[in-house]
Amino acid sequence: MLITIKSYPAKNGDCFLISFGETEEGKKHLLIDCGYVDTYQNYLKKDLIQIGESGASLEKLILTHIDADHIQGAIKLLKENNSKKFVTIKEVWHNTYRHLCEQKEVEIDKKQERILLQLIRRGYPQNESKQGEQVISAEQGTTVGALLLQGKYSWNSDFNNQVVCIEQKSTVELNPDTNIYLLSPDKQKLEKLKKLWNDELKRYGANFNLGNSQLYDDAFEMLLSWEKEKAKVVPKQISATRETLEELLKTPFKEDDTATNGSSIACILQIRNRKLLFLADAHPGLIVQSLKTYQNEGTIIFDLIKVSHHGSFGNISRELLDKIDSEMYLISTNGQKNNHPDKETIAHIVTRKTDFHRKLYFNYITANSKYFEREDWMEEYNYSIHYLDQQPYTLTL
């Protein structure tokens, strides 16, 4: 069976189209994240139109977490698909307010409504894309949640219309040959996201979190996209000297603790005997726990590993790397945010002893990807650097 993974140019974000099948006519398609608006307009849209014209569908649209660089393209996709349907989306996975917080039939007073509308009108952080493409007024329904309701999509129905989390369901069958194994988030990670929402509302002078108004969904999505921006650390200074691999390996590890990244939907896509690991921006501690449930003993060899959080060192611990390995690693970023991928991440991936040749794929050429294009290192540690920065942006398994 042919499997293709298209890693679109999503700037510092993620957008992956996975297609598989015995024949062109019988192909199945999954879309994980949509990058920015221009990711959709310039690259993704034409492929989705082609899928629709072929009579096929998107089996799943998985929006891993609320972050502009993962979901802004989905807003444009859903808006246009709602206006004139060009592709069938059978199921959407997306966690928002209505899935995390208790909903009651309560009337929102004017003060509460004013605060929610203020958050919604703020929109998404305006960066990494053309201003005109991102500014879609709130009155038109700018959030993913609003557009999913408008388009009457099947939304989290694999999880009984509740939150996507491992306690709710850990395995979803696409067909007898294909399963998705959920690794993240769990309820604890989602509780942290809920607490962030409540704390932020208090900062705005609001002390409420109950209600089933769509305003809550929209405000939740907008507010958390800005929280992620605040959480981004100042880019590290690139050293004037070339560090040795030994120095990179000695860098102390500190796990990412942002609530938004911790809420990421991470999963294994198993197609027959092929296993693909998509880590979104997930925290490594939870991923290790979930992988032990999936296979307790030994290292799990995947056919592909999409590295978490654009290669951030805070999202790939030694414990995680002891549990996973692959001949193919995929890192999605243009390096413009936080100087990702971190050199420490790549050093830890490539220096482990291996019986096979590791190929590291990047969808952009970055300073830190080029840093590892050293013939002596590649020969000693049995790895190579590859780029998907030109059409067709595709890996084939």
Side-chain angles (χ1 to χ4, degrees), residues 88-277:
T88 297
I89 303 172
K90 290 185 177 179
E91 169 81 4
V92 181
W93 293 4
H94 172 60
N95 288 333
T96 189
Y97 171 85
R98 66 182 53 238
H99 305 108
L100 299 184
C101 303
E102 182 184 356
Q103 297 182 50
K104 293 182 178 179
E105 291 287 347
V106 295
E107 187 172 341
I108 302 175
D109 64 33
K110 291 298 181 184
K111 178 188 175 184
Q112 295 172 357
E113 183 177 353
R114 187 167 60 250
I115 292 170
L116 292 174
L117 287 172
Q118 177 187 347
L119 291 169
I120 294 165
R121 290 194 183 105
R122 189 181 183 188
Y124 281 98
Q126 300 299 317
N127 53 33
E128 293 297 328
S129 189
K130 296 176 184 177
Q131 291 274 344
E133 292 176 328
Q134 287 195 20
V135 179
I136 309 167
S137 72
E139 289 73 23
Q140 293 174 297
T142 62
T143 63
V144 170
L147 292 167
L148 290 175
L149 292 172
Q150 181 189 94
K152 296 182 171 58
Y153 294 90
S154 178
W155 184 4
N156 289 5
S157 62
D158 287 325
F159 300 85
N160 299 317
N161 303 315
Q162 298 179 39
V163 68
V164 177
C165 71
I166 57 179
E167 291 91 349
Q168 188 72 22
K169 182 183 284 188
S170 60
T171 306
V172 173
E173 182 182 291
L174 286 181
N175 59 49
D177 290 332
T178 309
N179 292 288
I180 301 174
Y181 297 92
L182 196 65
L183 304 175
S184 170
D186 64 1
K187 287 184 176 178
Q188 184 177 352
K189 296 292 184 187
L190 294 173
E191 278 298 315
K192 187 175 178 181
L193 192 68
K194 181 179 174 181
K195 182 179 185 303
L196 174 61
W197 160 255
N198 292 336
D199 290 347
E200 283 300 302
L201 285 183
K202 290 175 184 175
R203 287 182 60 244
Y204 281 88
N207 193 14
F208 58 91
N209 64 1
L210 297 176
N212 61 0
S213 168
Q214 187 180 312
L215 288 177
Y216 284 88
D217 277 348
D218 294 353
F220 183 86
E221 198 172 304
M222 291 300 186
L223 183 145
L224 291 179
S225 70
W226 281 93
E227 282 307 303
K228 182 64 180 294
E229 287 298 305
K230 285 164 54 179
K232 292 183 186 298
V233 298
V234 176
K236 293 182 292 185
Q237 295 298 312
I238 300 176
S239 172
T241 60
R242 291 182 70 86
E243 300 102 325
T244 65
L245 287 178
E246 290 73 19
E247 287 171 331
L248 291 171
L249 294 173
K250 288 177 182 175
T251 304
F253 171 75
K254 185 177 185 298
E255 179 162 329
D256 176 13
D257 64 355
T258 56
T260 44
N261 283 346
S263 70
S264 288
I265 298 172
C267 62
I268 298 168
L269 175 61
Q270 183 160 342
I271 305 167
R272 293 187 181 171
N273 62 340
R274 303 289 189 90
K275 297 191 292 289
L276 287 66
L277 179 60

Side-chain angles (χ1 to χ4, degrees), residues 343-354:
K343 287 182 281 189
E344 293 86 349
T345 298
I346 303 174
H348 278 276
I349 289 172
V350 302
T351 55
R352 293 170 296 157
K353 290 183 179 179
T354 177

Side-chain angles (χ1 to χ4, degrees), residues 280-331:
D281 289 1
H283 292 166
L286 176 58
I287 296 298
V288 170
Q289 291 177 32
S290 297
L291 287 171
K292 287 179 178 176
T293 301
Y294 176 79
Q295 178 185 310
N296 188 36
E297 299 298 325
T299 302
I300 306 173
I301 305 299
F302 291 94
D303 294 274
L304 172 78
I305 294 173
K306 182 269 169 186
V307 178
S308 181
H309 196 199
H310 321 291
S312 171
F313 185 45
N315 297 78
I316 188 153
S317 65
R318 170 59 68 179
E319 186 183 15
L320 176 57
L321 288 177
D322 284 343
K323 191 63 184 171
I324 63 175
D325 208 350
S326 177
E327 294 184 18
M328 303 173 75
Y329 285 80
L330 174 59
I331 296 176

